[in-house]
Amino acid sequence: MTVTAGGELPDRLHDVIVVGAGVVGTAVARELARHRLRVALVEAGDDVGNGTSKANTAILHTGFDAAPGTLESRLVREGRHRLAAYAEQSGIPVEPVGALLVAWDREQLATLPALAAKAARNGYHATRLLDAAELARREPHLGPGALGALEVPDEWIICPWTTTLAYATQAVRAGVDLHLNCRVQSVTAGTHHELATSRGLLRTRYLVNAAGLHADELDRRLGRQDFTVTPRRGQLIVYDKLARPLVGHILLPVPTALGKGVLVAPTVYGNVILGPTAEDLDDKRDTGSSAEGLETLRATGRRILPALIDEEVTAVYAGLRAATGHDDYRIRAHPRLRYVTVGGIRSTGLTASMAIADYVTGLLGDAGLHLGPARDLEPVPMPNIGEARPRPYQRADLIAADPAYGTIVCHCERVTRGEIRDALTSTVPPGSLDGLRRRTRARGGRCQGFSCGPAVRALFEDGRR
């Protein structure tokens, strides 16, 4: 098992290097690890899932609203089944809450049958129309004026952080080298690719570009100009766990030509999220929130779920999606270059990740990479940070075996010393306090670390010595 975050890189010729350790890049690395290949996964940040993936809206999609016939439609449909099974096997937090597309006027209500027909064209046949009375019974805290809804029962909520970490952990344990703090600065193509990185030179026969927001830049370094990534900022408000009884489903707006709009959804951690906005920017680093954006969200949320706006806010954050101006994923193989681009992966990429990985592996095989037979990987049981199953502090058997699981460090999220210790000694340990939060929820509750911050930092620094 090799995970490096600094120092010189190994001087070896890899069969495949995957650039970008988000949910898609780690999924590709995991899939390649099923074959006897020399694979490296390189990431500019100090952790896996540290870019677009960490701010995903955390929905396990059905693909009901994808454009029929697209690659996205197919891969989301296939990926959903794979990820649902993988989550069950690995202990990734998932809750089958279902979604409701709520119609607030006659025009939106008239659109719902067409959306059901679109879902059917995407191979999803479980949608159901609800009248106003049934909708009010199912979601009694909805604002006034809702006329009906389209139910999509298989839209679930999931933990994107644990998903990415599970892929990376399984890949590393199966022999993939993971190099963090390793930004690719240039690429030279020849008999093999030479990648000049911020930590030195890497060599590989085949290259996969899963660089997310920066996928277009890497593409151009290889002479390709297939697309341009425009960072699309999505601001979100996270409400405290006390708001959780207000909403039972993922509440989606009826989509318009301008996009999917703002949703209200529970999270697997017991919170409620409101968002995202959709703002095209020029700066790929601009993950700040704005007063205008938050006010827009509050105004929208006030109509959807009025009582939510009076609840306490736990956090505000923003993520950047890799918009390309195209309506489909931009996954392309360039056999002559021994190169595959995985670009334009929007928020559905979490759901589609395992199917994308399988598709990309197939493209590499078509481009001449000898894959050899595939093997089953050892399962990776992941720590539970969701609220649907018992957490360590609730398990008498764990506490009896190890009192560290009964010692709470973060009282907002009930995170124990044992969970923090396990994260710091795991196969892919966190590179920062934020990484530790994504693995354990420590510092992620209503006080945002005001109370537990010093204790968590001390444990983090001790664990890294």
Side-chain angles (χ1 to χ4, degrees), residues 104-144:
W104 295 94
D105 58 39
R106 294 288 171 191
E107 184 178 352
Q108 292 179 4
L109 190 65
T111 303
L112 297 183
L115 288 170
K118 184 178 186 181
R121 293 201 301 278
N122 280 315
Y124 184 72
H125 301 277
T127 60
R128 192 166 72 92
L129 294 170
L130 308 183
D131 62 21
E134 184 169 2
L135 174 59
R137 184 181 62 77
R138 301 280 290 276
E139 288 290 350
H141 297 285
L142 270 181

Side-chain angles (χ1 to χ4, degrees), residues 338-367:
R338 303 179 311 283
Y339 169 60
V340 176
T341 309
V342 190
I345 308 299
R346 56 195 97 196
S347 61
T348 55
L350 168 62
T351 301
S353 52
M354 298 188 84
I356 292 174
D358 184 56
Y359 183 68
V360 168
T361 301
L363 291 178
L364 287 168
D366 293 342

Side-chain angles (χ1 to χ4, degrees), residues 274-286:
L274 169 65
T277 58
E279 312 154 63
D280 287 348
L281 307 175
D282 297 323
D283 188 348
K284 294 181 177 180
R285 300 165 298 175
D286 189 355

Side-chain angles (χ1 to χ4, degrees), residues 195-272:
L195 280 65
T197 80
S198 53
R199 292 180 48 198
L201 190 68
L202 286 169
R203 296 180 297 133
T204 184
R205 296 170 55 226
Y206 289 80
L207 183 63
V208 175
N209 173 5
L213 287 169
H214 303 281
D216 57 341
E217 300 162 33
L218 184 56
D219 221 33
R220 290 190 177 91
R221 288 180 183 132
L222 283 150
R224 309 296 310 179
Q225 295 191 32
D226 292 346
F227 60 92
T228 297
V229 173
T230 300
R232 180 166 296 165
R233 183 170 63 180
Q235 301 182 50
L236 294 105
I237 300 174
V238 182
Y239 287 89
D240 191 76
K241 295 174 189 289
L242 294 172
R244 180 65 179 84
L246 292 176
V247 58
H249 302 80
I250 303 163
L251 300 179
L252 301 171
V254 175
T256 69
L258 299 177
K260 294 185 177 181
V262 173
L263 59 83
V264 174
T267 75
V268 293
Y269 323 113
N271 303 97
V272 176

Side-chain angles (χ1 to χ4, degrees), residues 14 25 28 84 86 167 169 173 201 258 285 342 398 405 422:
H14 296 86
V28 172
Y86 184 72
Y167 292 158
T169 299
R173 289 185 183 177
L201 190 68
L258 299 177
R285 300 165 298 175
V342 190
L398 276 184
Y405 293 114
D422 292 349

Side-chain angles (χ1 to χ4, degrees), residues 248-457:
H249 302 80
I250 303 163
L251 300 179
L252 301 171
V254 175
T256 69
L258 299 177
K260 294 185 177 181
V262 173
L263 59 83
V264 174
T267 75
V268 293
Y269 323 113
N271 303 97
V272 176
I273 59 170
L274 169 65
T277 58
E279 312 154 63
D280 287 348
L281 307 175
D282 297 323
D283 188 348
K284 294 181 177 180
R285 300 165 298 175
D286 189 355
T287 55
S289 57
S290 68
E292 296 80 6
L294 297 180
E295 184 48 42
T296 298
L297 290 180
R298 278 193 288 266
T300 306
R302 189 173 291 114
R303 180 179 190 189
I304 300 171
L305 210 64
L308 181 66
I309 306 306
D310 295 328
E311 293 291 334
E312 296 177 13
V313 172
T314 294
V316 169
Y317 70 94
L320 298 175
R321 290 102 89 186
T324 62
H326 298 278
D327 292 334
D328 202 357
Y329 294 163
R330 308 295 290 176
I331 303 177
R332 299 283 188 276
H334 308 286
R336 187 180 59 81
L337 291 172
R338 303 179 311 283
Y339 169 60
V340 176
T341 309
V342 190
I345 308 299
R346 56 195 97 196
S347 61
T348 55
L350 168 62
T351 301
S353 52
M354 298 188 84
I356 292 174
D358 184 56
Y359 183 68
V360 168
T361 301
L363 291 178
L364 287 168
D366 293 342
L369 175 65
H370 178 64
L371 294 166
R375 55 177 171 158
D376 292 331
L377 300 180
E378 192 73 22
V380 284
M382 301 304 293
N384 173 39
I385 59 173
E387 296 295 321
R389 294 186 292 115
R391 296 270 307 283
Y393 78 92
Q394 297 169 309
R395 292 183 53 184
D397 59 330
L398 276 184
I399 296 169
D402 184 345
Y405 293 114
T407 305
I408 293 178
V409 179
C410 170
H411 287 264
C412 294
E413 294 295 312
R414 302 290 193 271
V415 182
T416 66
R417 182 183 292 269
E419 291 168 275
I420 293 174
R421 175 203 61 202
D422 292 349
L424 294 170
T425 57
S426 64
T427 301
V428 184
S432 66
L433 287 169
D434 283 343
L436 181 61
R437 175 176 53 81
R438 292 193 292 272
R439 286 161 174 78
T440 64
R441 300 285 296 148
R443 297 169 61 252
R446 58 165 47 195
C447 87
Q448 292 287 289
F450 182 82
S451 175
C452 67
V456 173
R457 177 179 291 277

